Amino acid sequence: MDTSGVSKRKHSENEIRDHPDQSNVEEQEEKPKYPKSVFFIISNEFCERFCYYGMRTVLSLYLYSMLKYSESTSTIIYHVFTCFVYFFPLIGAIISDSWLGKFYTIFYLSIIYAIGQVILSLSAAPPVQLPAREFSMLGLFLIALGTGGIKPCVSAFGGDQFILPQQERQLAMFFSLFYFSINTGSLISTLLTPVLREVKCFGTDCYFVAFLVPAVLMVISIVIFVSGKVMYKMVKPTGNLIVTVTKCVCHAIANKFRRKANRDHWLDHADDVYDNKLIEDIKVALRVLKLFIPLPIFWALYDQQGSQWTFQATRMDGQMGSFILLPDQLQALNPLLIIIFIPIFETLVYPAFAKIHFIDTPLKKLVVGGFLASVAFVAAGIVEIQIEYTYPKLPTNGNAQMRIFNTMNCTVNVDMANHVVNPVKINPVSMSEVLEVKANETVTIPYTADFTECYEKGYTDLKTAKGEINGTEAIASSWVITPLGLNHGYEDMVDKPEKGTPMVRGLIYLAPGLDNATLIVSRNDKIAASIPVSSFKFSHSELHNIESPGEYDVYLDKTLLDKNVVFKSGGVFTVVGSHVKHNGQSMIAGNTITVTPPNSLHMAWMLPQYIIITMAEVMFSVTGLQFAFTQAPVSMKSLLQAGWLLSVAFGNLIVVIIKGSRPFERQVYEIFLYAVLMAVVITIFAVMTLFYKYVDIPEEEDTDGALPLEEKAGNVNSAYKEDEK
């Protein structure tokens, strides 16, 4: 019997008793300290994510309302930008792994990122007088390059700070904190930046500040990141896997065409240069990447939360008591629901399904997540149908749309017999019905106006008035009756306001000899709109925004014209009135007319689609990353991550293609198109999964402490939402 092991153990125990300090040293060596450097990385990530999501939250409305792009073009630009954001990680990974290393790649690209954010902010400041469109596009390109380039580096750099496998639990904690910082930064900025843009500066919405605050956070993130340099563990670049795989694949294809010999797999043609282990690993990775081919359509739906769904919200009512929910703030539901849903799904939903052997594999979760995304767009389409009932009557091709306003407190009848069968009756301080008159480019309409009632009341010296009014095809024009006749017209705005806030204009006639006046919309002595009125020459005022929808009183100077007028989001209003004198007495009248009906469908109707798309994200995104990491050989994990990010890029490209082709005039048809495409593609994906055989990665391969982070931490990286974001 060999007793050497026993004697050695006793000898060791004696040494420990005699040298307790030595045992502590050995224990410390076995348990390395938690790397404090990662807190610089987590803080840096919080600031960077705040910057990115803060900017992206208001981006669609900035393109639409400030740069004056159409809603369709704004959507295209938004998704082209997002496409670049998820393409540039390939560039960042190659730069990092082949030349600069993770630290310097993050540092240099973060500087480019910050410069882009500053340029975007300055382009939104009118006094700077930069060409707004050109510099905005430059800023967005630099931001995409910066945030995309650092995307594959930051989490991996954080993992480099740990000693594996001894610190696997600490590494998991790091990713939990990292994930929390991402969602916290996203949530706070998504709520804050819409409020910042609502602040007035330079006479308009303050997108300058809404972009400047994220720019400042980005600069702070660079300072924080550099501050930890002395504590970082640096790993030298060892070559980029994506480049190696690309060369191997290209070499195999070239050899296949040069050689006539048959091989079991086309990749085997590369075995004259590349070793069999690499070739076999690529084969496994390609099997997974093949499953990724249908997946971009999910991201085509998911990323429309920041574009089409935001525009949809502008046409809805955000009033919640005394609080007004802004259209772009609604995006904050996603990170908030993600934080709530992930623990619920992990602890309750998935275990419950696993017990009944339903949705118990990653691929089944992906399929269900895809179908949920389709259902979310069905819900969005139903909401859009309801919104359409609230849309104003817009001018159409072949017709001129006309309205006639009466500023006097008396009835006027207007006869346009050649174009309108019955005389049009316009009540006191009111508006006629909407008139549709056939027009080929333009139309001239002779009229006869009966002012008898106004003459008898002393408003005018006219009993009748004759003349012509003009209309333009597919344009809404308004004409105004004053004591001088029916001789003032202008092109009116009858569509929903760009920002969704109510708008008001004044049509107030002041008799000659009266002092100039001011039309005031106020509540509790707080003025919401102040519109100057001239007695020199009658004219319509410009439209003024009512920043806080609600109930207001309308005054002409100190005279109350209309009380408790409700200005709701999405409405366009006109205050019609006059101030004349008759027999030494002042006659003041006024009324507020709704030209464009306000938003009557509440934003709460969008809650189901946000809940469903977030459930889809939990089942699709997080599970997809986990599947990619667990099904790929350790050496291929970064390749699978790159493939996953590219699927996001191609998803946004799908939106650009569909929106650019403009297949439908009605938005609701496009929404349902996405729902159908998602359902069809995910059905094809479900069929593909039936032929997939899960791969068991050898445990000893997966726990090799010498592997870099992106190859080590597949199990914890599934919680890392940065790659889906």
Side-chain angles (χ1 to χ4, degrees):
M1 180 176 179
D2 184 7
T3 59
S4 60
V6 177
S7 62
K8 286 178 181 177
R9 185 170 64 251
K10 288 183 178 179
H11 178 70
S12 298
E13 290 172 354
N14 291 334
E15 280 189 339
I16 291 172
R17 281 198 306 270
D18 296 337
H19 304 283
D21 293 339
Q22 182 179 341
S23 67
N24 291 337
V25 171
E26 290 176 355
E27 187 175 347
Q28 288 177 2
E29 288 177 355
E30 291 176 0
K31 295 182 179 180
K33 292 182 179 179
Y34 195 92
K36 296 179 181 179
S37 57
V38 298
F39 293 105
F40 290 94
I41 298 171
I42 290 170
S43 301
N44 161 267
E45 185 68 7
F46 170 84
C47 295
E48 189 275 326
R49 291 290 85 186
F50 183 103
C51 174
Y52 176 71
Y53 284 104
M55 176 277 301
R56 204 177 78 159
T57 298
V58 298
L59 179 57
S60 292
L61 295 183
Y62 170 69
L63 296 169
Y64 180 64
S65 62
M66 287 292 290
L67 299 188
K68 302 303 179 183
Y69 288 109
S70 67
E71 186 175 312
S72 177
T73 304
S74 299
T75 300
I76 290 172
I77 294 173
Y78 177 91
H79 287 281
V80 168
F81 165 73
T82 308
C83 183
F84 277 126
V85 167
Y86 286 95
F87 172 76
F88 282 129
L90 289 179
I91 307 299
I94 292 171
I95 293 172
S96 170
D97 294 345
S98 301
W99 297 299
L100 296 180
K102 298 181 185 70
F103 174 83
Y104 285 104
T105 300
I106 296 170
F107 176 61
Y108 292 136
L109 289 181
S110 292
I111 292 175
I112 293 174
Y113 187 170
I115 292 172
Q117 190 69 43
V118 171
I119 290 174
L120 181 63
S121 178
L122 293 176
S123 71
V128 180
Q129 295 186 339
L130 292 175
R133 286 189 171 185
E134 291 80 359
F135 274 81
S136 293
M137 296 306 107
L138 174 61
L140 288 174
F141 178 79
L142 295 178
I143 291 169
L145 176 60
T147 189
I150 68 175
K151 191 179 288 291
C153 303
V154 180
S155 60
F157 186 63
D160 285 344
Q161 311 309 307
F162 294 86
I163 299 174
L164 299 175
Q166 297 96 315
Q167 292 187 303
E168 283 192 359
R169 291 182 62 187
Q170 291 90 334
L171 179 64
M173 182 185 296
F174 162 72
F175 273 105
S176 297
L177 292 172
F178 197 80
Y179 166 77
F180 181 78
S181 71
I182 290 167
N183 282 279
T184 305
S186 167
L187 180 61
I188 294 174
S189 63
T190 304
L191 291 171
L192 179 62
T193 49
V195 176
L196 294 177
R197 77 160 172 82
E198 280 287 293
V199 176
K200 290 298 172 186
C201 59
F202 314 122
T204 184
D205 277 4
C206 208
Y207 286 96
F208 166 67
V209 173
F211 291 144
L212 182 63
V213 171
V216 171
L217 265 291
M218 190 61 220
V219 173
I220 292 173
S221 78
I222 297 173
V223 173
I224 292 173
F225 182 69
V226 174
S227 299
K229 184 180 180 182
V230 295
M231 304 174 66
Y232 294 142
K233 174 185 174 184
M234 305 285 193
V235 176
K236 294 182 180 180
T238 57
N240 187 264
L241 173 69
I242 298 170
V243 174
T244 303
V245 171
T246 303
K247 288 180 178 179
C248 180
V249 170
C250 292
H251 185 71
I253 294 172
N255 277 353
K256 178 177 172 60
F257 285 102
R258 284 199 297 261
R259 298 173 179 177
K260 300 299 181 182
N262 292 326
R263 307 298 294 269
D264 292 337
H265 192 281
W266 61 271
L267 266 173
D268 293 334
H269 287 283
D271 60 5
D272 60 332
V273 174
Y274 298 92
D275 63 73
N276 290 328
K277 177 66 169 62
L278 175 65
I279 292 172
E280 292 302 318
D281 285 353
I282 295 175
K283 289 178 185 178
V284 176
L286 289 180
R287 289 180 62 235
V288 180
L289 287 174
K290 184 171 70 174
L291 284 176
F292 284 2
I293 293 174
L295 302 188
I297 188 64
F298 174 86
W299 302 110
L301 276 66
Y302 175 81
D303 277 332
Q304 288 189 61
Q305 293 177 78
S307 56
Q308 296 288 38
W309 285 15
T310 297
F311 286 126
Q312 187 180 59
T314 63
R315 300 187 285 271
M316 301 179 75
D317 182 16
Q319 189 85 35
M320 300 174 66
S322 59
F323 174 74
I324 304 295
L325 181 65
L326 303 175
D328 34 0
Q329 278 184 321
L330 208 58
Q331 297 175 54
L333 277 173
N334 179 253
L336 180 62
L337 289 172
I338 276 288
I339 294 172
I340 296 171
F341 281 169
I342 283 185
I344 292 175
F345 271 73
E346 293 293 341
T347 59
L348 297 176
V349 177
Y350 291 153
F353 281 139
K355 287 181 179 179
I356 59 175
H357 303 289
F358 181 66
I359 317 180
D360 55 350
T361 66
L363 289 177
K364 288 179 182 178
K365 293 174 186 176
L366 285 171
V367 171
V368 174
F371 278 117
L372 283 174
S374 178
V375 173
F377 265 66
V378 171
I382 293 172
V383 169
E384 187 67 23
I385 290 173
Q386 298 304 312
I387 294 175
E388 285 185 348
Y389 292 130
T390 72
Y391 283 176
K393 187 176 183 180
L394 298 177
T396 58
N397 292 330
N399 292 286
Q401 188 181 94
M402 309 183 76
R403 292 166 176 77
I404 302 176
F405 291 92
N406 183 6
T407 63
M408 298 181 290
N409 195 18
C410 51
T411 302
V412 176
N413 295 301
V414 180
D415 187 2
M416 297 180 287
N418 292 335
H419 297 274
V420 179
V421 176
N422 298 316
V424 179
K425 179 181 179 181
I426 302 102
N427 292 321
V429 283
S430 187
M431 180 187 79
S432 71
E433 62 188 65
V434 179
L435 306 174
E436 294 280 354
V437 181
K438 292 188 179 299
N440 183 10
E441 294 188 358
T442 60
V443 61
T444 300
I445 305 169
Y447 71 85
T448 300
D450 181 4
F451 283 70
T452 302
E453 183 177 318
C454 299
Y455 175 80
E456 292 173 352
K457 289 186 176 181
Y459 275 95
T460 178
D461 296 329
L462 298 173
K463 288 187 177 180
T464 60
K466 294 184 177 182
E468 294 179 339
I469 57 178
N470 302 312
T472 304
E473 182 182 8
I475 296 293
S477 58
S478 293
W479 290 84
V480 189
I481 297 172
T482 70
L484 304 177
L486 177 54
N487 51 19
H488 180 78
Y490 60 94
E491 183 178 323
D492 210 343
M493 189 200 115
V494 298
D495 204 351
K496 293 285 185 180
E498 294 175 349
K499 298 194 314 172
T501 54
M503 303 185 79
V504 60
R505 82 159 84 243
L507 287 178
I508 305 295
Y509 174 82
L510 292 183
L514 294 174
D515 294 333
N516 294 337
T518 303
L519 185 66
I520 298 172
V521 178
S522 68
R523 176 175 58 191
N524 300 327
D525 296 327
K526 185 177 180 181
I527 296 176
S530 179
I531 304 172
V533 180
S534 174
S535 61
F536 174 70
K537 184 179 180 181
F538 174 78
S539 182
H540 63 284
S541 78
E542 296 297 321
L543 283 165
H544 292 252
N545 282 305
I546 306 294
E547 297 301 332
S548 299
E551 196 173 87
Y552 291 87
D553 296 329
V554 181
Y555 295 86
L556 183 64
D557 286 339
K558 295 182 179 180
T559 303
L560 179 66
L561 293 184
D562 209 353
K563 189 175 179 62
N564 299 332
V565 181
V566 179
F567 292 103
K568 294 189 70 175
S569 297
V572 178
F573 304 88
T574 298
V575 179
V576 179
S578 58
H579 181 191
V580 299
K581 286 194 174 183
H582 180 63
N583 295 331
Q585 292 185 341
S586 290
M587 296 191 297
I588 302 175
N591 184 32
T592 304
I593 298 168
T594 301
V595 177
T596 300
N599 301 338
S600 56
L601 196 67
H602 200 275
M603 287 184 194
W605 282 96
M606 293 186 73
L607 190 59
Q609 66 200 62
Y610 269 98
I611 291 174
I612 297 169
I613 199 72
T614 307
M615 292 169 62
E617 180 187 2
V618 172
M619 301 192 76
F620 192 94
S621 307
V622 177
T623 306
L625 260 184
Q626 181 185 18
F627 172 77
F629 275 102
T630 57
Q631 291 301 290
V634 172
S635 62
M636 294 290 120
K637 291 190 188 297
S638 57
L639 176 67
L640 268 295
Q641 184 176 0
W644 184 261
L645 293 175
L646 278 180
S647 73
V648 183
F650 284 116
N652 282 271
L653 188 59
I654 291 171
V655 180
V656 172
I657 293 170
I658 292 177
K659 181 59 69 173
S661 63
R662 299 179 181 176
F664 308 109
E665 287 190 10
R666 289 179 63 187
Q667 180 65 34
V668 66
Y669 291 152
E670 188 176 307
I671 293 173
F672 284 130
L673 172 64
Y674 283 111
V676 171
L677 282 176
M678 184 74 247
V680 170
V681 171
I682 206 66
T683 300
I684 295 171
F685 176 77
V687 174
M688 292 172 63
T689 63
L690 297 177
F691 302 96
Y692 182 82
K693 293 182 180 180
Y694 285 88
V695 177
D696 292 324
I697 303 299
E699 186 176 350
E700 63 271 14
E701 183 185 8
D702 195 41
T703 56
D704 185 351
L707 292 171
L709 165 75
E710 59 269 36
E711 301 170 3
K712 256 299 287 155
N715 58 329
V716 294
N717 238 6
S718 62
Y720 174 41
K721 192 159 175 280
E722 166 68 359
D723 298 321
E724 299 95 69
K725 289 274 193 182

